[in-house]
Amino acid sequence: MLNIPLILQSMQQRGLTRTALATACDVSKEAVSNWLSGQSLPRPRKLLRLAEILHIEVTQLMAPDDEPVIAFRTTGGQRASDAAREAAVTAAEHLQELLPHLPHPRLFSPAVLESPSLEEAYLLEATRQVRDRLGLADDAPVQRQELLALLQGFGAIMVPVYWNRQRHGHENALSIYLPRSKTTWVFVNLHACIGTFNAWLAHELGHCYTLHRLAADEGELFAERFAQALLFPPAAAARAAAELGKVSGDEALRLLAWYAGKYEVPMSTIVARVDLWLAHQGRKVSGLKRKQRGCDVHGEGRQETLSVSAALFGAEQLPAEHYIRTAADFFRTPVFEALACWQRRQGGGSPAFVASALNVDIGHAVEISFALSPASGMLAS
């Protein structure tokens, strides 16, 4: 398998388009597109030419077929800790074992973005097409269930988990892409704040649509900008900019909070999109960025500190059996069914496997493992 993120990064650094690369390699543009989508590999002579053009060693052009691609959604944009990354790699190894136990084999490849770019025009067009697919008006909010439907339609496997909200350096959400099977697993932290839930979902959707073809920080930046443009589109930003331009101080912050509540996004998303819209109009930015940092996510009169679990399921943490049933139904995920099937094939429960696959502590894993065993009677064998 080609190391696609490295190739795209090198193309960008050298200002090479797909057409230019095709010409330099003496192949069609379609051939290059097939290489970069993972549908085909260059022949040996073309592989050498590709390495020469991009100034990359041939050995670096190839990536292991089974090396997982991992992306985090962390609090405040901080980098995930080394321990969190190691745990994610271990989770990926265990998820690979669950693939044969998923209820429906993948027969179609997911639709992905061609040549994802950080250019604003590209992001706006990509998110406009997604919103059109949902049948939304140009300034309508995206509903939570619509985001989940987009992830499910892509084929992402949702993994709802309980991770400690205050754990330093821990992720709020995590996506793991397994190249060999072309499966994407999206972990969401049920302990984190409901106020940023839609933002995580849209962020992970951005990763899905690029299949992680943008490397490292570029990939994170694309996913963040994609999420913001999808959730707070230009028409909404233009209206908010006009209204915010007429007020100041606490009144402006209350208006920001109102928009954040209506669109179910952090206030930082509103400010970022409004300032970007103003900049593109050649106007002075709002000056609200510093003020909103000290405010609650959704402002006054909202239960913005509720966790996802408390807001959606009525409790900070559900008992294992209730959690499995409720989360499986809400997120329409087969992950628990696959874990139950894996345990049955192994002849009994395996809390250690569950702990690693879900990246949860062993105590919680023991409860989940038992709930998924035939002895519990919860799931039919």
Side-chain angles (χ1 to χ4, degrees):
M1 178 180 177
L2 286 175
N3 190 337
I4 295 170
L6 180 62
I7 292 172
L8 291 172
Q9 185 177 50
S10 181
M11 287 174 62
Q12 185 177 38
Q13 289 171 349
R14 287 165 175 75
L16 286 172
T17 63
R18 293 189 181 207
T19 301
L21 186 62
T23 300
C25 290
D26 194 23
V27 297
S28 67
K29 183 181 176 182
E30 289 72 22
V32 170
S33 292
N34 288 338
W35 295 349
L36 297 181
S37 65
Q39 296 180 45
S40 66
L41 286 172
R43 294 187 179 186
R45 184 176 297 177
K46 298 301 181 185
L47 191 66
L48 290 171
R49 179 60 179 154
L50 184 63
E52 180 184 349
I53 294 165
L54 299 178
H55 299 278
I56 298 173
E57 296 291 334
V58 173
T59 53
Q60 292 180 297
L61 278 178
M62 303 302 294
D65 287 346
D66 57 350
E67 183 177 341
V69 182
I70 294 164
F72 293 91
R73 172 77 166 129
T74 57
T75 301
Q78 64 182 316
R79 290 186 178 275
S81 64
D82 290 341
R85 292 187 174 277
E86 290 174 10
V89 171
T90 300
E93 295 170 355
H94 288 68
L95 295 176
Q96 190 75 43
E97 293 191 46
L98 292 183
L99 291 173
H101 306 295
L102 294 175
H104 303 293
R106 179 183 293 280
L107 301 179
F108 297 92
S109 295
V112 296
L113 287 166
E114 289 290 338
S115 306
S117 167
L118 288 170
E119 292 182 5
E120 180 68 7
Y122 181 94
L123 284 161
L124 290 180
E125 179 57 24
T127 53
R128 184 195 65 78
Q129 291 190 25
V130 174
R131 291 176 63 86
D132 284 351
R133 193 182 309 167
L134 293 172
L136 295 174
D138 61 0
D139 64 346
V142 182
Q143 301 300 315
R144 185 170 298 136
Q145 289 300 333
E146 291 172 327
L147 290 169
L148 289 170
L150 288 170
L151 285 162
Q152 290 151 3
F154 178 84
I157 301 165
M158 305 301 293
V159 187
V161 288
Y162 282 116
W163 289 334
N164 191 315
R165 191 196 303 194
Q166 303 300 328
R167 194 166 169 187
H168 178 70
H170 207 293
E171 57 277 10
N172 278 334
L174 160 70
S175 63
I176 297 176
Y177 175 60
L178 303 179
R180 182 182 297 176
S181 61
K182 294 185 179 179
T183 54
T184 298
W185 305 71
V186 175
F187 288 66
V188 291
N189 181 7
L190 299 177
H191 269 153
C193 180
I194 188 64
T196 56
F197 186 43
N198 285 8
W200 314 339
L201 295 177
H203 183 101
E204 298 306 328
L205 184 65
H207 280 310
C208 287
Y209 284 154
T210 63
L211 278 186
H212 301 275
R213 289 175 185 171
L214 295 177
D217 290 345
E218 271 193 317
E220 287 302 309
L221 188 56
F222 176 91
E224 191 66 15
R225 291 182 179 175
F226 174 91
Q228 291 180 344
L230 178 65
L231 298 178
F232 202 65
R239 190 176 71 251
E243 294 181 4
L244 286 165
K246 300 174 183 177
V247 296
S248 61
D250 289 345
E251 191 173 353
L253 290 176
R254 281 193 289 271
L255 184 56
L256 271 179
W258 181 85
Y259 271 107
K262 178 179 179 180
Y263 285 86
E264 294 189 275
V265 295
M267 286 172 65
S268 57
T269 294
I270 310 298
V271 173
R273 297 308 299 177
V274 164
D275 281 351
L276 188 58
W277 187 88
L278 289 170
H280 284 175
Q281 302 301 309
R283 296 165 58 186
K284 185 178 179 181
V285 298
S286 67
L288 288 166
K289 187 173 183 178
R290 182 178 299 175
K291 293 182 180 180
Q292 60 83 200
R293 285 176 179 168
C295 297
D296 290 331
V297 173
H298 280 172
E300 299 173 3
R302 296 185 58 85
Q303 294 176 304
E304 68 280 351
T305 59
L306 283 178
S307 69
V308 173
S309 182
L312 299 181
F313 308 144
E316 186 67 18
Q317 184 157 335
L318 300 173
E321 290 190 9
H322 191 190
Y323 148 66
I324 291 168
R325 286 196 184 95
T326 304
D329 180 63
F330 183 86
F331 291 98
R332 296 175 59 190
T333 176
V335 67
F336 300 113
E337 183 180 344
L339 280 168
C341 185
W342 185 93
Q343 287 196 150
R344 287 197 299 272
R345 295 288 177 87
Q346 300 302 310
S350 179
F353 182 91
V354 172
S356 294
L358 300 183
N359 196 2
V360 297
D361 65 71
I362 190 64
H364 189 36
V366 168
E367 296 172 357
I368 296 171
S369 178
F370 177 77
L372 294 173
S373 69
S376 74
M378 191 185 77
L379 296 177
S381 59

